[in-house]
Amino acid sequence: MNKLMPLVQNENMKIYRRPRAWIMIGIVIAIMILFVVFEKVNAPKMAEGDEGYKQRLEQRIEGIRSSLNNTEFLPSDSYKTSLENDLKIYEHALAHEQDITKNTLWGTVLNSASLMQILTIFTIVIAADIVAGEFSGGTIKLLLIRPVKRWKILLSKYAATLLYAVFGLLVLLVSSIIIGAIAYGFAGISIPHLYIQDGAVQERSMLVQALVNYGYNSVSLVMMVTLAFMISSAFRSSSMSIGFSIGLMFMGELIVALLQKYDWVKFFLFSNLNLRQYSPGQTPVVEGMTLGFSVVMLVLYFVAFNAVAWGLFVKRDVAA
């Protein structure tokens, strides 16, 4: 362990001394700022005070009730359940005088979780290059002449890649709070997040909900980065790793949707990445899938990806 930490530190220095590491983080923040500016510019003017938000809530409640009572409106069961849940939430907010229609800094924080997909792409770039780049740059021989086991070298690279992802997540979360506070101030900061569980409206801290959103999206981030790292270690090609990983990231859900009628698709990686499908009111990709099943599948894929990466890097004549 005493030799591992300096290796991780060295890999971090390699990552952060290159301008691209900071440019990619800057792009994520810039996109968030653009979203907030667009939202501010295009947001309709809303009446302030109790009467304003109560009127908005009443209008939404009336609209949902009209849709549900319309005999010509034939929604799917899932959409009807979604409408009924929204109705309960709006009625709860109205009864407890909670202005959930107002734009607050928490809206920016919650929406920032969607930018984790962009952060995943950028971390894939780091993961794809951190091993393959040593071969293309001819520095792998210098790295391996050190009196350090190969598995420690590879582990340090993997750890540094995940640390970059963690750094990006922290920057994303903190910057979303700062940008949201600048754009909307601290009004409504105490308003809770409302959600449905077991047919009843529950309240949760907005910060906790933001962390839950980040947690869900982090599953996909870790798995896709690990896949890219494996390909980089196995084929020594950063371009192949980037192209294959990003391509699968965008096509995975489409492939699952096309093969959803087959029961065996539940063993596919992308059928299990979205653990939000087990949240109250959500439906699993394949009937009968459970949270425990998806967790087991993700662990198996994670172990398999790392086993391939470690096996090929340690046993191959990588100095050739």
Side-chain angles (χ1 to χ4, degrees), residues 35 76 95 130 171 176 215 220 230 255 259-260 263 287:
F35 280 164
S76 62
I130 200 167
V171 171
S176 68
S220 177
M230 178 199 71
I255 295 173
L259 302 176
Q260 192 172 1
D263 186 66
E287 186 177 354

Side-chain angles (χ1 to χ4, degrees), residues 7-26:
L7 288 173
V8 175
Q9 184 179 10
N10 182 58
E11 293 300 329
N12 277 322
M13 290 174 61
K14 290 180 183 179
I15 292 174
Y16 293 109
R17 75 184 179 187
R18 300 182 68 174
R20 72 175 183 186
W22 301 100
I23 291 173
M24 290 188 295
I25 295 293

Side-chain angles (χ1 to χ4, degrees), residues 37-54:
V37 170
F38 181 81
E39 186 179 58
K40 287 279 289 184
V41 171
N42 293 277
K45 284 192 174 183
M46 293 184 177
E48 297 293 337
D50 291 345
E51 295 303 322
Y53 84 81
K54 288 181 179 179

